[in-house]
Amino acid sequence: MTDVFQGYERQYCEISASLSRKCTAAASQEGEKLKQKASEIKSGIDGAEALIRKMDLEARNLQPSVRAGQLAKLREYKSDLNNLKGALKRITAGNGQQGAREELLESGMADTLVVSADQRSRLLRTTERQNQTTDRIRDSHRTMLETEELGVSIMHDLHQQRQSLLHANDTIVSLQANIC
């Protein structure tokens, strides 16, 4: 995995977590403050989309063995981004439903949105660690295969050298026999 891809990935995770917090905060806003928050979220989503496009370009330039894992991550990030877009739509469209929503939710239940965002960010971090572990396992497997291939090559070279030495020894023995 390239450092460039990892850098884009870190930036995206930071932006995504920030957008989740902003969506949670915007859900309790009304009027002009809601419009301002929605505008901030929209610009953040645009930035996240640009990062995903950059990650996509980077992933497509990687080796096939690494590319599949990176493209799978990209699908997750795109799904996450679509969820953020949906949350933005719900926030902006659901302004008229805010009163009914507050009646249904008790005051303690509003904290579940914050808990959900926290759980989501922890899940993203765990997924990232799992993907890094998978990458390390793939790298180890590739290194093992390369080492095995190198060992086979060395054994083949030693066999050829042994054959050359045996042939040279036979030649010397036959020359000695002819001389004596």
Side-chain angles (χ1 to χ4, degrees):
M1 183 159 60
T2 66
D3 292 334
V4 175
F5 186 91
Q6 287 178 335
Y8 290 150
E9 198 172 17
R10 264 192 304 279
Q11 288 176 3
Y12 175 79
C13 289
E14 291 171 4
I15 288 173
S16 176
S18 172
L19 289 174
S20 294
R21 287 190 298 271
K22 286 180 181 181
C23 285
T24 302
S28 64
Q29 301 293 323
E30 291 182 7
E32 194 61 32
K33 287 183 179 181
L34 176 63
K35 289 180 184 178
Q36 182 182 6
K37 283 284 188 187
S39 175
E40 289 176 17
I41 294 169
K42 175 66 176 142
S43 66
I45 288 174
D46 292 341
E49 283 179 333
L51 278 173
I52 286 178
R53 283 192 298 273
K54 289 177 183 178
M55 283 191 286
D56 190 36
L57 287 174
E58 280 294 319
R60 294 191 187 281
N61 291 328
L62 294 173
Q63 296 174 350
S65 61
V66 179
R67 183 183 315 150
Q70 302 312 323
L71 292 176
K73 284 182 183 181
L74 277 171
R75 282 191 294 276
E76 291 177 17
Y77 294 149
K78 286 177 183 178
S79 174
D80 176 53
L81 191 59
N82 286 333
N83 290 341
L84 288 170
K85 287 178 183 178
L88 178 62
K89 284 182 183 177
R90 283 190 301 277
I91 290 168
T92 55
N95 196 21
Q97 299 172 351
Q98 187 68 24
R101 183 176 177 187
E102 287 177 5
E103 288 176 19
L104 292 173
L105 294 174
E106 296 176 9
S107 62
M109 294 298 287
D111 293 335
T112 59
L113 295 174
V114 174
V115 171
S116 176
D118 182 49
Q119 289 174 343
R120 185 175 162 279
S121 66
R122 282 188 301 192
L123 181 62
L124 284 173
R125 286 192 305 270
T126 302
T127 302
E128 175 62 25
R129 281 194 303 262
Q130 184 180 16
N131 289 336
Q132 288 172 351
T133 302
T134 302
D135 291 342
R136 284 195 301 270
I137 290 171
R138 282 188 187 129
D139 288 344
S140 298
H141 186 258
R142 184 175 29 80
T143 302
M144 181 216 40
L145 291 175
E146 290 171 358
T147 304
E148 182 181 12
E149 187 177 309
L150 181 64
V152 168
S153 174
I154 289 171
M155 291 298 289
H156 179 67
D157 290 346
L158 288 173
H159 177 73
Q160 286 180 339
Q161 290 174 6
R162 182 178 186 271
Q163 292 300 323
S164 296
L165 288 172
L166 287 174
H167 178 65
N169 187 37
D170 289 344
T171 304
I172 290 173
V173 168
S174 67
L175 283 175
Q176 284 178 347
N178 287 339
I179 292 176
C180 294

